[in-house]
Amino acid sequence: RAAKDWRANLERSGPTASSLTILGPISAPAGRRSAQYRHHMLVKGIDRTALCSAIRHSLECLERDYPRKDAKFDVDVDPVELN
């Protein structure tokens, strides 16, 4: 649920939302690890500053809604591979 909420939050990120391309969330290749489900989401945009701002804002909102023990959010800028 947290991954879907993250996507919805990004889609509502104001004027920046129209310039974002969001793929996912989908289950990560190693889907489940230590009784925790993992998902990947790829977010692309033309304006790097606006993209980073939208991601930062969405993370701040989600971290208020999901205690650390319930969900963990990691961001990899310019990922080389998705594992």
Side-chain angles (χ1 to χ4, degrees):
R1 185 179 137 224
K4 289 181 182 178
D5 287 349
W6 193 357
R7 179 186 176 117
N9 194 297
L10 281 167
E11 290 174 334
R12 293 187 307 262
S13 65
T16 307
S18 63
S19 65
L20 298 179
T21 301
I22 304 170
L23 305 174
I26 62 168
S27 294
R32 190 170 174 191
R33 218 185 262 176
S34 305
Q36 295 178 340
Y37 291 94
R38 297 171 17 132
H39 293 81
H40 284 167
M41 187 165 53
L42 183 63
V43 183
K44 302 189 303 182
I46 296 170
D47 181 349
R48 184 182 182 100
T49 303
L51 175 63
C52 290
S53 177
I55 291 171
R56 187 177 306 110
H57 179 343
S58 68
L59 278 172
E60 289 169 357
C61 292
L62 288 169
E63 288 175 343
R64 283 192 301 264
D65 295 342
Y66 289 93
R68 185 99 167 121
K69 65 181 176 67
D70 293 338
K72 179 182 174 192
F73 303 94
D74 289 321
V75 174
D76 184 359
V77 178
D78 296 328
V80 174
E81 59 184 32
L82 299 174
N83 287 331

